[in-house]
Amino acid sequence: KEFVDDNAESFIRQESVYIPDEKPTAKKRGRVKTVIAVCLAILCLAAIVVFFLFSRSNSQKIKKQLMAGQYDSAYSLFEENFTSSGGFFLNRALSDRLEKLYEEYRNSEREYESAEKELSTIEKMEIAELKEKTKSARKKLQKLHSSVSSFQKAEEYYSGKNYILAIKEYKKVIKQDSNYSTAKTKLEQARLNYRNTVLSEAAEKAAASDYNS
């Protein structure tokens, strides 16, 4: 009986197969979690990159359309792809245009009507972050336009030898106006011409003994 039991036990030991524990160890579970986390991070990063590239591309398109005078197209593209918050790239692009349109008009590189239409298009987008800057740009542009208009009127009065009105308009030209230096010189000349005209007329009347006039 003991011999049989020993053989049976030996047979069982020889024929038994080791079956590993199917449950993952803590180390393996940690590796799986790490891999999943890395994959999710890569996907998030890729999504962010795609979003920024898309946003930057459309922002540059809007900027180029504004520069080309395609104001309706620029606004339509804005409505399709942006909200009133704008976005980093768009806000930076429009902020640049607000500064440039003023300088372009100031340097006589474009007409007032063109600069005003571009500004109106940006105002129409109602981007919260650019609200104050847009308001300031409007004020500066109008002030400069008023100055340019005064200079043009002064030049017409000066050519017509209406020195009193010329002097009045030359005084309205502001320092930010590229015509300021010319206006200052012409103002002094208009004053001199007016004085000479008055003295000449007085001398003529005196010579003609026309004191009552």
Side-chain angles (χ1 to χ4, degrees):
K1 182 178 179 181
E2 290 180 0
F3 176 78
V4 173
D5 291 340
D6 290 340
N7 286 339
E9 185 178 349
S10 176
F11 177 78
I12 291 174
R13 284 200 303 268
Q14 292 176 4
E15 295 298 323
S16 63
V17 179
Y18 172 71
I19 301 177
D21 188 359
E22 294 183 357
K23 294 182 179 180
T25 62
K27 187 175 182 180
K28 288 183 178 179
R29 287 197 298 269
R31 288 178 180 176
V32 171
K33 289 180 179 179
T34 300
V35 172
I36 293 174
V38 170
C39 290
L40 289 174
I42 292 173
L43 288 174
C44 289
L45 181 61
I48 292 172
V49 170
V50 171
F51 171 78
F52 273 98
L53 289 175
F54 177 78
S55 177
R56 183 175 183 179
S57 175
N58 283 325
S59 297
Q60 290 302 313
K61 285 180 182 178
I62 290 175
K63 182 178 179 179
K64 289 179 179 179
Q65 288 174 341
L66 288 172
M67 293 172 64
Q70 300 171 357
Y71 308 118
D72 291 338
S73 298
Y75 183 72
S76 296
L77 186 59
F78 167 78
E79 281 195 311
E80 292 171 2
N81 299 283
F82 296 94
T83 64
S84 59
S85 62
F88 175 77
F89 292 113
L90 179 62
N91 293 352
R92 187 171 67 174
L94 295 181
S95 180
D96 179 66
R97 286 311 306 153
L98 288 173
E99 294 176 4
K100 291 291 180 60
L101 67 86
Y102 175 83
E103 290 300 323
E104 289 166 359
Y105 175 58
R106 180 177 179 271
N107 296 327
S108 302
E109 296 174 7
R110 68 189 302 179
E111 297 296 326
Y112 170 75
E113 289 72 18
S114 172
E116 200 282 332
K117 284 182 180 179
E118 181 174 352
L119 177 56
S120 295
T121 302
I122 296 175
E123 286 177 329
K124 190 178 178 182
M125 295 176 185
E126 296 182 341
I127 297 175
E129 187 176 323
L130 297 179
K131 184 177 180 181
E132 291 302 319
K133 192 163 189 175
T134 304
K135 185 178 180 180
S136 176
R138 166 68 66 184
K139 185 177 180 180
K140 285 174 60 179
L141 186 64
Q142 290 179 337
K143 188 176 181 180
L144 179 59
H145 178 57
S146 178
S147 175
V148 171
S149 298
S150 292
F151 178 77
Q152 292 172 346
K153 290 178 182 178
E155 290 286 86
E156 292 175 4
Y157 290 136
Y158 187 91
S159 297
K161 296 183 178 181
N162 191 338
Y163 299 119
I164 293 179
L165 292 180
I167 291 170
K168 181 180 178 181
E169 295 300 327
Y170 279 133
K171 286 181 177 180
K172 296 178 181 178
V173 179
I174 61 176
K175 291 183 178 181
Q176 292 78 11
D177 192 334
S178 59
N179 299 306
Y180 179 74
S181 180
T182 302
K184 191 175 181 180
T185 301
K186 284 288 194 71
L187 174 60
E188 295 304 318
Q189 189 62 50
R191 284 171 173 167
L192 179 61
N193 291 346
Y194 175 68
R195 185 181 66 180
N196 291 338
T197 299
V198 171
L199 292 175
S200 178
E201 289 177 352
E204 289 178 2
K205 291 176 181 180
S209 299
D210 187 7
Y211 300 105
N212 294 327
S213 298

